[in-house]
């Protein structure tokens, strides 16, 4: 009996010790998992197709894109899961973890059905400009309906974790930074060349911004833009002289080199920098100044720095996907990203920050170029379609003014006029669909009623539905044929649900990130939940994406 009691006591002691050891191990794990990065840096490269990583890979250095790809985690099959693939919706989706259906940023500009006029995704006439007399500072994130992960980090840290947004474009700085940001800064070009903000954030520019603006850094980039390396080595892009590029006013050909100082006179002054590789360099300069000026990542409370490189988009729109200008811009951007990473290592500490890099959308090869090599592509004849559609509306409904607005491949019906003519909304929508689907180079047409009443789980229909906001979107949604656009015959654009617009990079690097890669399909809306999971904070309140567990340690 005593022997049994002794065995039982030893067994209980063993269990107790095991339990204590497990508790100690568990507590250790919790302690480690709660040791968050000092700084999260989100980089959005505007209009960056995924294949730019692979196409220009051999021209990159070891410390920029290659470092992120080889020492971080590379999601090689990352896509946007909605239409339209525009800048405003893209930046909002990256940081909110959801689509326009929920966050409400359905385009850069859209028709507001209540006030009967076009509105800008970041526009806000209730605030004033700070740093300029122009109205370009009247901006805020007020039209974005949901929180960003930066907002959730601010709430979690009792507003002690800072958030700063930076971009040449206002919307590229404002939407990622969210509603609770300490500040968002964007570039005021023309004859100013300054970084500005809005009274939504603060009433004056901080000293570090004023110092940067008076340092003449912007002026220093009004110089010759030539290729970084011998142009003959740029074998990953087309010929420099061709008929598929726009170029700058005051220069007969869209060919290197470009004298930006001389050309600035005919191209809105400092605005010319936006459409060159130097706009990215200027953005990097300002981002590094922000790390110092705001003391980001200098304590144990996680800060967020949202950086968007906008010049890649301006260059792509002007010169096109296959241009020497695009290639040089990415070769130079690689150097800027390396410079930013080096600054983070020095100022925040290597292994003390987490960084992700993605894009807000891709871009189509210039359709006129695709035509020249035998690929189906082209331009929608909007003028002919408009005349044909007007005749249809008069014949069918006895009125040509039933359409209130056409924008973003959507038609908005005049509800008051429909009621006056005693016309059924859904019937009119369906008749318009049956008409437009017969027009050349129109692939699909859908009614708002279908988007509101039917649940789509795949295909282009799912993408349209994810981008459809019942209160803000139009009555009829039109989808063009693949590689057919409404645009000039020079330069590239974007907006579709096809792979050239949806497939974008997604790279994670730094603290809490494993080294590796995957071809598993990931979605842009997975980024915010992944960062939220890493930080142990609430997901953005409208998030529909899922954490990418395989990315996290």
């Amino acid at each position: 009996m005593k022997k049994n009691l002794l065995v039982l006591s030893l067994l209980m002691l063993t269990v107790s010790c095991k339990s204590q050891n497990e508790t100690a191990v568990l507590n250790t794990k919790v302690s480690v998992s709660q040791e968050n990065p000092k700084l999260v840096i989100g980089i959005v490269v505007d209009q960056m197709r995924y294949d730019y990583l692979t196409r220009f890979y051999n021209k990159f250095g070891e410390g920029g894109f290659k470092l992120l790809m080889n020492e971080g985690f590379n999601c090689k099959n990352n896509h946007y899961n909605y239409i339209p693939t525009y800048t405003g919706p893209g930046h909002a989706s990256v940081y909110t973890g959801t689509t326009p259906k929920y966050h409400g940023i359905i385009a850069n500009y859209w028709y507001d059905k209540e006030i009967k006029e076009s509105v800008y995704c970041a526009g806000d006439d209730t605030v004033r400009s700070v740093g300029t007399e122009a109205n370009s500072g009247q901006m805020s994130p007020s039209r974005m309906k949901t929180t960003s992960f930066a907002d959730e980090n601010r709430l979690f840290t009792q507003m002690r974790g800072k958030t700063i947004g930076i971009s040449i474009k206002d919307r590229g700085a404002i939407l990622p930074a969210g509603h609770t940001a300490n500040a968002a800064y964007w570039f005021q070009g023309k004859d100013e060349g300054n970084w500005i903000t809005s009274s939504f954030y603060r009433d004056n520019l901080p000293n570090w911004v004023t110092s940067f603006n008076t340092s003449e850094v912007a002026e220093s980039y009004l110089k010759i833009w030539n290729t970084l390396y011998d142009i003959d080595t740029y074998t990953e892009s087309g010929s420099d002289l061709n008929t598929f590029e726009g170029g700058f006013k005051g220069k007969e050909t869209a060919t290197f080199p470009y004298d930006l100082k001389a050309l600035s006179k005919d191209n809105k002054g400092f605005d010319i920098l936006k459409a060159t590789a130097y706009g990215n360099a200027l953005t990097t300069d300002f981002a590094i100044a922000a790390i110092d000026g705001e003391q980001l990542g200098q304590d144990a409370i996680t800060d967020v720095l949202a950086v968007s490189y906008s010049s890649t988009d301006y260059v792509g729109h002007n010169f096109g996907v296959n241009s020497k200008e695009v290639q040089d811009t990415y070769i130079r951007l690689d150097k800027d990203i390396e410079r930013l990473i080096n600054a983070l290592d020095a100022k925040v500490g290597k292994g003390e920050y987490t960084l992700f890099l993605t894009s807000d959308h891709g871009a189509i090869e210039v359709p006129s170029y695709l035509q020249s090599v035998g690929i189906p592509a082209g331009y929608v004849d909007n003028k002919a379609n408009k005349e044909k559609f007007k005749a249809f509306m008069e014949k069918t409904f006895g009125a040509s003014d039933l359409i209130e607005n056409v924008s973003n491949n959507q038609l908005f019906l005049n509800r008051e006029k429909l009621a006056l003519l005693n016309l059924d909304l859904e019937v009119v929508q369906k008749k318009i669909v049956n008409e437009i689907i017969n027009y050349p180079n129109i692939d699909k047409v859908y009614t708002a009623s279908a988007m509101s009443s039917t649940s789509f789980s795949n295909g282009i229909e799912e993408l349209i539905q994810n981008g459809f906001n019942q209160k803000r979107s139009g009555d009829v949604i039109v989808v063009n044929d693949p590689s057919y656009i409404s645009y000039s015959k020079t330069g590239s654009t974007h907006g579709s649900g096809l792979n050239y617009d949806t497939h974008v990079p997604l790279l994670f690097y730094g603290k809490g990130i494993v080294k590796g890669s995957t071809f598993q399909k990931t979605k842009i809306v997975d980024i915010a939940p992944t960062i939220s999971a890493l930080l142990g904070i609430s997901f953005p309140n409208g998030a529909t994406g899922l954490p990418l567990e395989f990315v996290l340690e």
Side-chain angles (χ1 to χ4, degrees):
M1 184 68 176
K2 289 181 179 179
K3 183 178 181 180
N4 290 340
L5 287 172
L6 178 62
V7 171
L8 182 61
S9 297
L10 289 171
L11 181 63
M12 291 178 67
L13 180 62
T14 302
V15 171
S16 175
C17 289
K18 183 179 180 184
S19 177
Q20 290 176 11
N21 288 337
E22 286 180 343
T23 301
V25 171
L26 183 61
N27 287 339
T28 300
K29 287 182 178 178
V30 169
S31 176
V32 170
S33 68
Q34 289 179 345
E35 192 180 329
N36 287 341
K38 293 180 178 180
L39 179 63
V40 171
I41 306 96
I43 298 176
V44 177
V45 183
D46 206 324
Q47 203 188 116
M48 185 176 186
R49 293 161 52 114
Y50 175 80
D51 66 349
Y52 288 162
L53 286 178
T54 53
R55 187 170 134 209
F56 304 139
Y57 185 85
N58 291 332
K59 294 294 191 295
F60 294 147
E62 298 300 320
F65 287 121
K66 280 186 178 179
L67 177 69
L68 302 182
M69 295 169 73
N70 299 328
E71 299 300 322
F73 199 97
N74 185 359
C75 296
K76 299 179 179 181
N77 191 22
N78 183 62
H79 288 263
Y80 274 86
N81 63 332
Y82 64 82
I83 297 171
T85 42
Y86 294 152
T87 297
H91 283 78
S93 298
V94 168
Y95 282 80
T96 64
T98 191
T99 67
K101 179 178 181 179
Y102 298 105
H103 62 58
I105 304 298
I106 64 169
N108 295 333
Y109 294 84
W110 66 86
Y111 182 70
D112 188 310
K113 292 182 278 191
E114 292 185 14
I115 63 174
K116 308 295 185 186
E117 62 183 46
S118 179
V119 296
Y120 178 54
C121 63
D124 188 346
D125 58 11
T126 69
V127 299
R128 63 178 179 82
S129 301
V130 174
T132 180
E133 295 298 318
N135 61 7
S136 48
Q138 290 187 284
M139 304 288 169
S140 84
S142 61
R143 287 193 168 93
M144 189 168 74
K145 293 185 171 185
T146 59
T147 61
S148 68
F149 77 76
D151 287 321
E152 297 299 337
N153 184 64
R154 290 274 285 160
L155 293 171
F156 184 83
T157 62
Q158 300 302 309
M159 301 296 172
R160 289 177 292 177
K162 280 189 174 182
T163 298
I164 301 293
I166 293 170
S167 177
I168 289 282
K169 293 181 181 178
D170 46 49
R171 57 187 179 272
I174 292 167
L175 299 175
H179 303 276
T180 59
N182 298 83
Y185 299 101
W186 52 98
F187 187 66
Q188 171 67 14
K190 298 183 180 178
D191 60 348
E192 296 182 49
N194 290 330
W195 292 85
I196 66 171
T197 190
S198 153
S199 63
F200 177 85
Y201 304 103
R202 51 185 303 131
D203 293 327
N204 49 57
L205 293 177
N207 290 335
W208 70 267
V209 176
T210 301
S211 296
F212 189 94
N213 285 339
T214 57
S215 68
E216 299 186 350
V217 174
E219 284 90 337
S220 71
Y221 289 115
L222 287 175
K223 58 183 180 179
I224 301 295
W225 178 26
N226 208 344
T227 53
L228 185 62
Y229 305 125
D230 185 341
I231 195 169
D232 291 335
T233 67
Y234 283 28
T235 55
E236 297 79 13
S237 50
S239 60
D240 194 28
L241 180 62
N242 58 72
T243 60
F244 313 121
E245 302 176 15
F248 295 115
K249 292 180 180 178
K251 192 173 191 301
E252 289 186 8
T253 60
T255 54
F256 283 107
Y258 297 94
D259 185 342
L260 302 184
K261 181 73 172 178
L263 291 171
S264 66
K265 298 172 185 177
D266 294 326
N267 293 273
K268 299 180 180 178
F270 285 102
D271 276 353
I272 196 171
L273 293 178
K274 298 177 181 180
T276 75
Y278 296 140
N280 294 327
L282 178 63
T283 302
T284 305
D285 295 336
F286 191 74
I288 293 171
I291 294 170
D292 286 333
E294 297 290 342
Q295 290 292 288
L296 299 177
Q298 298 305 304
D299 56 33
I301 302 172
T302 303
D303 298 322
V304 175
L305 174 61
V307 180
S308 178
Y309 287 105
S310 304
S311 292
T312 43
D313 185 68
Y314 288 109
V315 174
H317 277 294
N318 192 357
F319 298 98
V321 165
N322 201 44
S323 65
K324 299 291 189 199
E325 287 80 2
V326 160
Q327 178 164 3
D328 190 67
T329 296
Y330 277 91
I331 289 173
R332 290 177 180 273
L333 177 60
D334 178 62
K335 301 295 184 187
D336 286 315
I337 289 173
E338 180 176 6
R339 187 156 59 95
L340 179 59
I341 290 172
N342 289 340
L344 291 167
D345 287 346
K347 298 172 186 297
V348 181
K350 192 167 186 176
E352 295 295 338
Y353 61 88
T354 304
L355 180 152
F356 70 83
L357 182 147
T358 189
S359 179
D360 55 348
H361 52 73
I364 185 176
E365 290 267 15
V366 180
S368 54
Y369 166 70
L370 293 177
Q371 288 174 331
S372 74
V373 294
I375 294 176
Y379 302 88
V380 178
D381 190 342
N382 289 320
K383 184 177 180 181
N385 288 347
K386 184 177 180 180
E387 292 175 358
K388 188 175 181 181
F389 184 71
K390 182 180 179 182
F392 159 78
M393 294 296 286
E394 290 176 344
K395 180 180 178 181
T396 307
F397 303 111
S400 60
D401 58 348
L402 289 180
I403 303 299
E404 206 164 64
N405 179 266
V406 179
S407 54
N408 302 308
N409 286 341
Q410 298 180 20
L411 282 72
F412 294 78
L413 288 167
N414 186 324
R415 305 298 177 91
E416 291 80 7
K417 188 75 173 181
L418 290 178
L420 187 66
L421 297 176
N422 199 28
L423 292 170
D424 181 85
L425 174 65
E426 193 167 344
V427 170
V428 173
Q429 288 178 353
K430 287 180 178 179
K431 286 187 177 182
I432 290 174
V433 166
N434 291 333
E435 169 67 13
I436 294 178
I437 194 61
N438 296 309
Y439 292 0
N441 308 126
I442 301 300
D443 190 38
K444 293 177 176 62
V445 191
Y446 297 93
T447 67
S449 300
M451 289 297 129
S452 300
S453 61
T454 307
S455 180
F456 300 101
S457 58
N458 54 60
I460 202 79
E461 293 81 6
E462 181 187 18
L463 302 188
I464 295 171
Q465 191 164 61
N466 285 339
F468 179 83
N469 185 281
Q470 191 173 13
K471 193 167 185 176
R472 294 180 174 179
S473 296
D475 292 285
V476 175
I477 302 100
V478 180
V479 179
N480 296 336
D481 278 340
S483 298
Y484 274 80
I485 59 174
S486 299
Y487 200 66
S488 68
K489 292 191 177 182
T490 58
S492 296
T493 192
H494 49 87
S496 80
L498 294 158
N499 286 325
Y500 50 73
D501 282 336
T502 67
H503 191 193
V504 297
L506 177 54
L507 305 171
F508 291 93
Y509 172 81
K511 191 164 192 173
I513 303 300
V514 301
K515 179 180 174 180
S517 64
T518 184
F519 280 107
Q520 177 180 328
K521 188 170 186 177
T522 57
K523 300 174 183 176
I524 209 74
V525 294
D526 296 332
I527 297 173
T530 300
I531 296 299
S532 297
L534 172 70
L535 299 180
I537 63 177
S538 293
F539 291 6
N541 60 16
T544 53
L546 299 172
L548 302 175
E549 295 182 56
F550 47 81
V551 164
L552 304 176
E553 287 182 345

